[in-house]
Amino acid sequence: AVTAFGAAAAAEVALIGGALALAFFPAAGAPRRWSWDGALARTLLRDAAPLLLTTLAITIYRRIDVVLVSHLIDAGTAGVYAAAVRLSEVGYLAPMILINAWFPQLTHLHATDRAAYRAAMAKFFRHTTWAGAACAAALTLAAPWLATGAFGAAFAGAATPLAIHAWTAVFIGHGIARSQWLLLENRQLDGLVLAVGGALVNVSFNFALVPRYGATGAAIAAVLALALNMALLPALLPRVREGWSLGWRAVFGRPPAA
C-alpha cells in the first residue's frame, strides 16, 4: 500500500512536468534553439536559493510536530494528531485559491502604480486572512463529525486537536499574502529568517506543551507559533515591518498608510 502511494505521487509529478513541457515548448521554441545565459542563471539561483531554503524550513515547521508527538508521547497519539492536521489543512484551500486570482494583478501594479499596488495588497491580506478565519470556524464546528466520519470511531480523539489546529488557517492565510509581498519586494532572505524563527518557536512550544497535553498541546503549539510568526516576529525585522503593518492594518479594516 505504501509503495502504491509513492507510485501515485511520482506519477502525479511526471504528469505535471509533461503538461508544463507541452505548454512551454510551443511558446519557447525547440530545445535546439535555446542558449545558455550564465549571468541570468546566477541571478536566478541567487534569488531562488532563499525560497528553496524557506520551503524546506516551512516543511520542517509544519511536520516536525507529528514527529515530536511520537517521540514525546507515542505513535498512537501521533497518528491521532496527524489525522487532525490533515483535516485542518482543508482550511488552507480558500486562501490558496485567492493567490491565482490576485497575484497577476499585484505583479502588474507593483511595476506600474505603487499606490494602487498598496491598496490591492491590503485587500489581498484582508481577504486571505478572513477566508482562513471562515474556514477555521467551519472546521471547528464540524470537528466532532469530521474526525469520526473521515477516519472512523478510532479517531474520535482527533476532534479536539482539529478544532484547535483549524485556527492555524487564519495565520496560514495571512502568511500566504505575506509570502507574496516578500516575493514582490525581493525580500526572500527575510522570509527565510522568519521561517526558521517560526520553526524554532514551534519546536519550543511542542516541548513545553506536548508532554502535558498530548495531541491537544501540539495543536495549541501550532496555533501559538504561527500567531507569533505572523503577528510579532516581523515587527522585529526593519525590512519587513512595512508589510507587517500593511497586512494587519488591512485585516482590521484600516486603509494603507500614505
Side-chain angles (χ1 to χ4, degrees), residues 65-140:
D65 46 3
V66 177
V67 176
L68 289 175
V69 172
S70 178
H71 174 70
L72 296 172
I73 306 294
D74 54 52
T77 304
V80 169
Y81 178 67
V85 171
R86 181 53 59 94
L87 290 171
S88 174
E89 289 174 350
V90 173
Y92 307 163
L93 293 177
M96 289 293 295
I97 290 171
L98 290 174
I99 292 179
N100 296 325
W102 283 82
F103 193 64
Q105 179 194 19
L106 291 170
T107 303
H108 173 70
L109 291 176
H110 182 267
T112 59
D113 188 336
R114 294 291 294 183
Y117 160 72
R118 283 177 57 81
M121 181 58 76
K123 290 182 181 178
F124 187 45
F125 268 111
R126 183 161 59 249
H127 288 357
T128 54
T129 305
W130 285 110
C135 291
L139 285 170
T140 297

